[in-house]
Amino acid sequence: MGNSLKAIVAFVPSNECQRYLLEDLEEMPVDKMVDLSGRQLRRLPLHICSFRELVKLYLSDNNLNHLPPELEQLQNLQILALDFNNFKALPLVVCTLKQLCILYLGNNKLCSLPLELRLLQNLKTLWIESNCLQCLPEVVCELSLLKTLHAGSNALRALPAQLQCLQELRTIWLSGNLLSEFPAVLLDMPFLEVIDVDRNSIRFFPSLAHLPGLKLVIYDHNPCRNAPKVAKGVRRVGRWSEETPEPRKRSGAVIEITLDEKPLPPPAAKPEPE
């Protein structure tokens, strides 16, 4: 079925038309995974919620702005992808899926997250990039098993002090925000392995040499006049990263060194639960 025909059928709310978009998906797949990405869906067909053993559900790149309460039946779900949709608020039914390990919410229109998100205590990966967040919702700091947080391309100006409670957190992506200072709370998180503050407005970097777990720091595209000091063996991506932390000077002029090598973005492929 061509994409143009799918787009037309998607406007028709009848069960028959919505089922047509699913093509031959009548029974739960053997691999317990359903991928409905890019189907022009405007609502989730209810019969998907009858697949009670479902483990992975990909709904990326559709036109969804709500989910049916019947989604609560999918209590074995571990991966849920809702990125590239039209959600202005996270449907509360998502917070009833207590086995979720990975949740993708990027590229929506979210301005906040509900307090009920704290119920997802098995969550290890949360992607909330490219939304409308002006501050990191403090409820995120209650997800005690969280290992990866991708909050890039929002409008964050600071991070809550409670973030240091996430002692399992290893990777934090904050590129493309409005940070004018390096978030102080990250200095109290010795377990962090990857810090990405690319494309912000940070003018000065404190030393990160005391963070024993750090392996990579990405700080490129900031108006900084120094590079963060790091421990031996830690990779830096940004100006002066292959030199001493302070830029060289010649005749009073600062020489800016730009790397040809660019940092790798967060993985495009959606990871499996650990």
Side-chain angles (χ1 to χ4, degrees), residues 17 36 41 61-62 78 90 107 134 162 181 194 231 241 247:
C17 288
L36 300 178
L41 294 175
D61 193 19
N62 281 293
Q78 296 181 29
L90 179 64
N107 290 273
Q134 296 185 8
Q162 298 92 319
E181 297 181 356
V194 177
S241 61

Side-chain angles (χ1 to χ4, degrees), residues 2 77 90 99 112 120 122 169 182 201 248 264 272 274:
L77 206 62
L90 179 64
Q99 296 305 312
S112 63
L120 301 182
N122 285 308
L169 194 66
F182 186 83
S201 300
R248 292 181 301 175
L264 293 176
E272 302 293 323
E274 298 182 359

Side-chain angles (χ1 to χ4, degrees), residues 1 5 7 45 57 62 81 89 95 107 118 121 130 133-134 181-182 184 187 205 266 271:
M1 187 195 320
L5 180 55
L57 178 57
N62 281 293
C95 301
N107 290 273
R118 62 166 63 108
Q121 284 300 308
S130 298
L133 299 170
Q134 296 185 8
E181 297 181 356
F182 186 83
L187 301 175
F205 280 95

Side-chain angles (χ1 to χ4, degrees), residues 93-124:
V93 66
V94 172
C95 301
T96 68
L97 306 174
K98 297 183 180 180
Q99 296 305 312
L100 277 184
C101 297
I102 302 176
L103 178 59
Y104 296 99
L105 300 174
N107 290 273
N108 280 284
K109 301 173 183 177
L110 301 174
C111 294
S112 63
L113 293 173
L115 293 177
E116 289 81 356
L117 190 72
R118 62 166 63 108
L119 299 175
L120 301 182
Q121 284 300 308
N122 285 308
L123 207 61
K124 295 182 178 179

Side-chain angles (χ1 to χ4, degrees), residues 194-260:
V194 177
I195 298 175
D196 177 15
V197 289
D198 184 30
R199 300 183 185 279
N200 278 276
S201 300
I202 301 173
R203 295 186 175 276
F204 174 79
F205 280 95
S207 173
L208 306 180
H210 66 289
L211 300 179
L214 195 61
K215 298 178 180 178
L216 170 65
V217 55
I218 304 172
Y219 64 96
D220 212 3
H221 303 99
N222 280 279
C224 55
R225 293 324 234 177
N226 73 311
K229 294 180 180 179
V230 294
K232 184 178 180 179
V234 177
R235 184 185 175 200
R236 297 178 299 179
V237 177
R239 291 186 296 174
W240 319 300
S241 61
E242 294 182 346
E243 300 200 355
T244 59
E246 299 301 325
R248 292 181 301 175
K249 293 184 178 181
R250 180 182 301 165
S251 300
V254 176
I255 301 175
E256 295 185 357
I257 300 174
T258 303
L259 296 182
D260 291 331

Side-chain angles (χ1 to χ4, degrees), residues 51-202:
F51 299 165
R52 300 198 176 194
E53 299 302 314
L54 200 64
V55 173
K56 308 170 189 176
L57 178 57
Y58 297 94
L59 300 173
S60 308
D61 193 19
N62 281 293
N63 296 305
L64 299 171
N65 57 29
H66 69 282
L67 294 172
E70 288 83 358
L71 190 72
E72 186 177 3
Q73 300 175 37
L74 303 183
Q75 286 300 313
N76 290 300
L77 206 62
Q78 296 181 29
I79 301 178
L80 177 59
L82 300 174
D83 45 334
F84 292 95
N85 276 284
N86 294 316
F87 292 104
K88 294 183 179 180
L90 179 64
L92 292 183
V93 66
V94 172
C95 301
T96 68
L97 306 174
K98 297 183 180 180
Q99 296 305 312
L100 277 184
C101 297
I102 302 176
L103 178 59
Y104 296 99
L105 300 174
N107 290 273
N108 280 284
K109 301 173 183 177
L110 301 174
C111 294
S112 63
L113 293 173
L115 293 177
E116 289 81 356
L117 190 72
R118 62 166 63 108
L119 299 175
L120 301 182
Q121 284 300 308
N122 285 308
L123 207 61
K124 295 182 178 179
T125 298
L126 177 63
W127 285 39
I128 50 177
E129 79 286 2
S130 298
N131 276 285
C132 305
L133 299 170
Q134 296 185 8
C135 60
L136 185 69
E138 292 186 5
V139 66
V140 172
C141 304
E142 299 184 44
L143 303 173
S144 59
L145 295 184
L146 201 64
K147 287 189 173 183
T148 300
L149 175 60
H150 186 359
S153 299
N154 281 284
L156 305 181
R157 296 181 181 273
L159 297 180
Q162 298 92 319
L163 193 69
Q164 65 181 304
C165 296
L166 297 182
Q167 298 194 10
E168 296 298 320
L169 194 66
R170 297 295 179 266
T171 302
I172 185 165
W173 305 91
L174 298 167
S175 61
N177 277 287
L178 301 176
L179 300 172
S180 59
E181 297 181 356
F182 186 83
V185 64
L186 301 184
L187 301 175
D188 296 323
M189 301 177 69
F191 34 80
L192 283 175
E193 297 179 357
V194 177
I195 298 175
D196 177 15
V197 289
D198 184 30
R199 300 183 185 279
N200 278 276
S201 300
I202 301 173

